[in-house]
């Protein structure tokens, strides 16, 4: 169970009904009354039944290690974790099973084939009972890596990442020619061909040119294909003519493929005058457009006037053919990145954000787009803070907020959860919201309300650098968090051979619940708008508001639920569920 966050806030849930007054001494000022999702309160029994004692903190439902005994082919330190065992993405399926994409470089683990020589791209499937169903390792004697996985409309899986190998699965298809270079890696898997717990890819493809190219994220598209984003330094091959005039070292790009891995189109965003640009995450919206986020190191041209300073977070919207509809930069005067994007399905609270998006990452200063993103008196830590913002469908900033903690790296992702959001990432040092942490980094999971205030959070600590890389919600409401750990023990898992191990953990809905410090009822009455607490000015429709409100207290924050009940007006009976606030 997540620990409540001590943030002063009063919330009434549901759709807007009318003004009301909380007549208890607890809250002296008026609050807005809301319908509780059409809930009918017939008597005090219903309200009392809602006030049930909740259990204390629960353990992870399941934790799975990726990696194991044996010798790793790559040395690993807290500052060099790229090619060790890790879970970079978790895909949850309708039947409760999960597919994990990442990297694997351990030899000799019982029941798992040896890798090809360096790090292999890893794909694993577990069923709903957490039994491993199959494993696939893709690559050659170089270092190869999966960063993301998606399931296509035909039921197959596509994983993307990068490949340094020139042999093995990359023989005769690699685009680069130098051992130190790498291509974008794409592999397709048909699950029906799995045999004895092993699954070989049905097709492997390389993407890019003679420069360094890689994919960060992939999502299935409504037409049966998929879209992927990342970074490219090539000016030839699949990127021929796309960035010939670029002055940056590498550019952000997006590419569309059909179900057979054939490229349909690619678009390069030539946004910076130097250094590197990159796209980390992409989604498809309900209109068939693609929205991707990442960073631009030094915005130029039309973007230069809106640059915030340093490295800026970037969001780009494309139509179905790859044409850029708009490009926006966000951030502060420091270095900022955006790493995850989601459809904004939980705006609520009066926020007008139809067809908008929620984006997460990290920021290093509290100015410009983050001027009001923290509580009064909070100072930005040197390494930056986890950052969440809402933009509308045209890319205009609606609101922005930080989680008051020192980020290790960009927040892994943000996903809608109930009437708010769930975020996961890594932080270091002490945080008023997340608690103590070691200097290297600890994993956290946080529940956010629709306005991004922290409802509750939990940290998972070790003595070394532990990182969250993936976050996904299963159909049953549980959450899966994936990443890698360097602590000697992480949530009961032992570190093998002092090399980083990957992990995937499941949190049940009970784990994600936030237990209130107190629960109680208070009397409530509806009055006409603008009529100050006068009993003679009660609203004619006041009878539809049940006379007890249900209050949950989280530290200094109060969540108030006001209930509706059926009424008869001028001989006409109106049921609570028929009231349209």
């Amino acid at each position: 169970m997540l620990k409540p966050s001590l943030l002063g806030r009063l919330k009434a849930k549901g759709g807007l009904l009318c003004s009301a007054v909380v007549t208890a001494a607890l809250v002296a000022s008026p609050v807005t009354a809301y319908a509780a999702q059409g809930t009918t309160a017939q008597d005090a029994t219903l309200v009392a039944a809602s006030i049930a004692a909740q259990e204390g903190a629960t353990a992870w439902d399941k934790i799975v290690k990726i990696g194991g005994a044996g010798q790793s082919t790559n040395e690993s330190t807290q500052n060099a974790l790229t090619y060790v065992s890790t879970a970079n993405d978790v895909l949850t399926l309708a039947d409760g099973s999960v597919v994990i994409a990442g990297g694997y470089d351990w030899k000799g683990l019982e029941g798992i084939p040896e890798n090809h020589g360096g790090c292999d791209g890893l794909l694993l499937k577990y069923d709903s009972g957490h039994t491993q169903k199959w494993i696939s390792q893709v690559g050659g004697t170089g270092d190869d890596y999966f960063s993301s996985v998606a399931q296509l409309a035909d039921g197959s899986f596509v994983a993307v990442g990068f490949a340094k190998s020139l042999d093995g699965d990359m023989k005769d298809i690699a685009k680069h020619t130098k051992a130190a270079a790498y291509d974008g890696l794409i592999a397709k898997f048909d699950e029906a061909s799995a045999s004895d717990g092993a699954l070989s890819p049905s097709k492997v493809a390389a993407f890019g040119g003679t420069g360094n190219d890689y994919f960060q994220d992939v999502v299935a598209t409504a037409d049966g294909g998929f879209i992927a984003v990342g970074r490219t330094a090539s000016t030839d091959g699949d990127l021929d003519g796309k960035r010939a005039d670029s002055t940056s070292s590498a550019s952000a790009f997006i590419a569309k493929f059909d179900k057979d891995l054939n490229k349909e189109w690619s678009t390069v965003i030539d946004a910076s005058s130097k250094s590197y640009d990159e796209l980390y995450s992409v989604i498809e919206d309900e209109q068939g457009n693609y929205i991707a986020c990442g960073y631009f190191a030094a915005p130029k041209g039309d973007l230069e006037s809106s640059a915030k300073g340093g490295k800026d977070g970037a969001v780009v919207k494309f139509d179905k053919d790859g044409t850029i509809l708009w490009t926006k930069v966000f951030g502060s005067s420091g270095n900022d990145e955006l790493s995850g994007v989601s459809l904004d399905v939980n705006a609520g609270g009066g926020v007008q954000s139809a067809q908008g998006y929620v984006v997460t990452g990290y920021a290093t200063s509290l100015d410009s787009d983050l001027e009001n993103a923290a509580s009064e008196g909070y100072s930005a830590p040197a390494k930056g803070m986890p950052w969440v913002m809402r933009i509308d469908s045209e890319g205009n900033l609606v609101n922005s907020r930080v989680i008051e903690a020192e980020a290790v790296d960009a927040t892994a992702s943000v996903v809608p959860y109930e009437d708010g959001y769930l975020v996961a990432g890594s932080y270091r040092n002490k945080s008023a919201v997340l608690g103590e942490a070691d200097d290297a980094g600890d994993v956290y999971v946080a529940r956010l309300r629709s306005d991004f205030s922290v409802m509750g959070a939990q940290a998972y600590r070790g003595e070394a650098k532990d990182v969250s890389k993936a976050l996904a919600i299963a159909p049953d409401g549980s959450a899966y968090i994936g990443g890698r750990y360097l602590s000697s023990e992480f949530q009961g898992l032992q570190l093998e051979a002092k090399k980083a191990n990957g992990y995937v953990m499941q949190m049940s809905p009970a784990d994600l619940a936030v237990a209130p410090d107190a629960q109680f009822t208070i009397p409530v009455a509806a009055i006409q708008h603008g009529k100050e607490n006068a009993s003679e000015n009660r609203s004619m429709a006041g009878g539809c508001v049940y006379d007890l409100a249900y209050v949950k207290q989280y530290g200094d924050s109060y969540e108030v639920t006001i209930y509706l009940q059926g009424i008869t007006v001028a001989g006409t009976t109106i049921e609570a569920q028929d009231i349209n606030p």
Side-chain angles (χ1 to χ4, degrees), residues 135-150:
I135 182 173
S136 185
Q137 292 172 247
V138 177
T141 55
D143 290 316
D144 313 299
Y145 198 66
F146 286 142
S147 57
S148 183
V149 61

Side-chain angles (χ1 to χ4, degrees), residues 221-281:
T221 53
D223 62 2
F226 60 96
I227 197 86
V229 296
R231 189 173 82 181
T232 176
S234 293
T235 56
D236 54 2
D238 294 310
L239 286 308
D240 187 24
K242 297 291 184 178
R243 57 182 303 273
D245 299 324
S246 178
T247 57
S248 63
S249 300
S251 301
F253 78 92
I254 183 171
K256 175 69 170 64
F257 300 86
D258 67 16
K259 64 182 179 61
D260 297 315
L261 313 193
N262 299 309
K263 186 188 76 169
E264 296 180 345
W265 52 258
S266 63
T267 300
V268 171
I269 303 93
D270 186 20
S272 289
S273 58
K274 61 180 181 179
S275 194
Y276 298 90
D277 299 336
E278 190 163 3
L279 292 178
Y280 283 128
S281 180

Side-chain angles (χ1 to χ4, degrees), residues 201-397:
S202 59
K203 186 175 181 179
V204 179
F207 178 87
T210 54
N212 290 334
D213 313 293
Y214 62 79
F215 293 110
Q216 288 281 18
D217 193 25
V218 62
V219 293
T221 53
D223 62 2
F226 60 96
I227 197 86
V229 296
R231 189 173 82 181
T232 176
S234 293
T235 56
D236 54 2
D238 294 310
L239 286 308
D240 187 24
K242 297 291 184 178
R243 57 182 303 273
D245 299 324
S246 178
T247 57
S248 63
S249 300
S251 301
F253 78 92
I254 183 171
K256 175 69 170 64
F257 300 86
D258 67 16
K259 64 182 179 61
D260 297 315
L261 313 193
N262 299 309
K263 186 188 76 169
E264 296 180 345
W265 52 258
S266 63
T267 300
V268 171
I269 303 93
D270 186 20
S272 289
S273 58
K274 61 180 181 179
S275 194
Y276 298 90
D277 299 336
E278 190 163 3
L279 292 178
Y280 283 128
S281 180
V282 64
I283 58 171
E284 181 181 26
D285 69 12
E286 296 173 352
Q287 289 72 45
N289 301 309
Y290 308 117
I291 300 88
C293 70
Y295 68 87
F296 296 155
K300 67 177 183 180
D302 294 339
L303 296 174
E304 188 171 3
S305 61
S306 58
K308 313 301 177 181
K311 181 168 58 176
D312 290 334
V315 183
V316 188
K317 188 172 185 177
F318 308 84
D319 69 12
K320 63 182 180 61
D321 299 314
T323 301
I324 296 175
L325 300 177
W326 48 255
T327 304
K328 303 283 186 174
V329 292
F330 302 94
S332 67
S333 58
N335 290 319
D336 315 304
E337 293 185 9
L338 294 170
S339 59
V341 60
S342 173
L343 289 175
D344 188 14
V345 299
N346 285 331
V351 177
Q352 300 301 314
S353 187
Q355 301 301 322
Y357 315 103
V358 170
V359 196
T360 186
Y362 77 90
T364 57
S365 296
L366 288 170
D367 52 25
S368 193
D369 293 329
L370 292 100
E371 184 175 2
N372 299 308
S375 59
E376 186 176 354
Y378 181 74
S379 298
K383 299 296 184 180
M385 308 149 285
W387 169 34
V388 186
M389 70 172 186
R390 172 177 285 117
I391 59 177
D392 65 19
S393 60
E394 298 303 317
N396 301 305
L397 180 65

Side-chain angles (χ1 to χ4, degrees), residues 61 94-95 101 176 181 189 197 199 209 279 282 351 395 426 506 515 564 580:
D61 273 9
D95 63 359
H176 70 280
F189 302 85
L199 177 64
L279 292 178
V282 64
V351 177
S426 309
Q506 182 189 22
L564 298 181
N580 186 19

Side-chain angles (χ1 to χ4, degrees), residues 488-511:
S488 57
E489 181 177 344
F490 181 75
Q491 297 301 298
L493 298 182
Q494 301 300 313
L495 186 71
E496 301 285 353
K498 299 183 179 180
K499 304 295 188 286
N501 293 172
Y503 70 88
V504 174
M505 301 184 289
Q506 182 189 22
M507 298 180 73
S508 71
D511 296 329

Side-chain angles (χ1 to χ4, degrees), residues 464-478:
K465 185 177 182 179
D466 308 318
V467 176
S468 170
K469 301 285 288 183
L471 171 64
I473 304 300
D476 66 357
S478 61

